[in-house]
Amino acid sequence: MLDLDPQVTATLAVAACAAAAVLLLVVLLLALRLRRLVRDHRRAIDPERGEDVIAVLGRHEETLAAIGRDVRALDARSGELREVLRGTVSQVGMVRYDAFEDMGGALSFSAALLDERGDGIVLSAINGRTETRCYAKAVTGGTSEHNLSVEEDAAIRTALAGGGVGEAPVPARRRRRSS
């Protein structure tokens, strides 16, 4: 057997007790930390689904990626729709007037129906005592290859200026001009 000095044995016993006390303290601290960690983990779990934060974040990441794809698809579709809308009637102007001196009530009119490029048609209805005549002329870029009356030109200018009902210039209203 090993012969140890009682002084050395006592010192080793005290050192072992001190080490055990330190280790016990470390174990208690770790137990408290583990308890807090478990409590925080339980709080982080979705009680309805049983998911933890990592799973929820993963699901949200997938949702955000799907939303991103949808937004890109909608953006592409909105560009297509914008191109379609450029060709639709978006500017309307109308001018009412008396086509004949002996007629009142401004029953004659010219109406321009244009898209945003200024392309479309101008319609005119000349109202007389016994008949009404209608005319339609193509408009390209805010002008026409056909002779336009002052009223038709005023209707086109009214449409291009934002639309509404304009007035034909009274003094020159019966003259024709070519564009």
Side-chain angles (χ1 to χ4, degrees), residues 99-123:
F100 304 104
E101 290 179 16
D102 62 340
M103 294 288 297
L107 297 176
S108 298
F109 69 89
S110 292
L113 307 171
L114 308 175
D115 63 13
E116 68 180 42
R117 293 180 209 102
D119 298 342
I121 61 170
V122 62
L123 300 170

Side-chain angles (χ1 to χ4, degrees), residues 19-20 66 95 141:
V95 174

Side-chain angles (χ1 to χ4, degrees), residues 65-162:
I67 289 171
R69 286 190 301 272
D70 291 345
V71 166
R72 284 189 294 281
L74 287 173
D75 186 45
R77 183 66 179 142
S78 72
E80 294 169 9
L81 292 174
R82 180 73 184 128
E83 282 303 311
V84 169
L85 286 175
R86 286 178 199 226
T88 62
V89 173
S90 60
Q91 302 179 70
V92 177
M94 185 175 78
V95 174
R96 295 177 57 99
Y97 56 95
D98 292 322
F100 304 104
E101 290 179 16
D102 62 340
M103 294 288 297
L107 297 176
S108 298
F109 69 89
S110 292
L113 307 171
L114 308 175
D115 63 13
E116 68 180 42
R117 293 180 209 102
D119 298 342
I121 61 170
V122 62
L123 300 170
S124 293
I126 309 292
N127 189 40
R129 286 197 183 279
T130 60
E131 65 184 357
T132 299
R133 294 186 181 195
C134 295
Y135 303 93
K137 298 176 184 174
V139 177
T140 305
T143 188
S144 179
E145 63 184 39
H146 303 284
N147 291 335
L148 293 175
S149 69
V150 173
E151 295 84 5
E152 290 168 334
D153 190 52
I156 291 170
R157 298 297 148 233
T158 300
L160 292 174

Side-chain angles (χ1 to χ4, degrees), residues 28-45 52-54:
L28 286 174
L29 289 174
L30 288 175
L32 288 174
R33 286 183 136 196
L34 181 62
R35 185 176 170 186
R36 268 188 268 151
L37 185 63
V38 167
R39 184 185 66 223
D40 291 344
H41 181 42
R42 282 191 184 130
R43 266 194 234 146
I45 293 176
D52 63 5
V53 172
I54 304 299

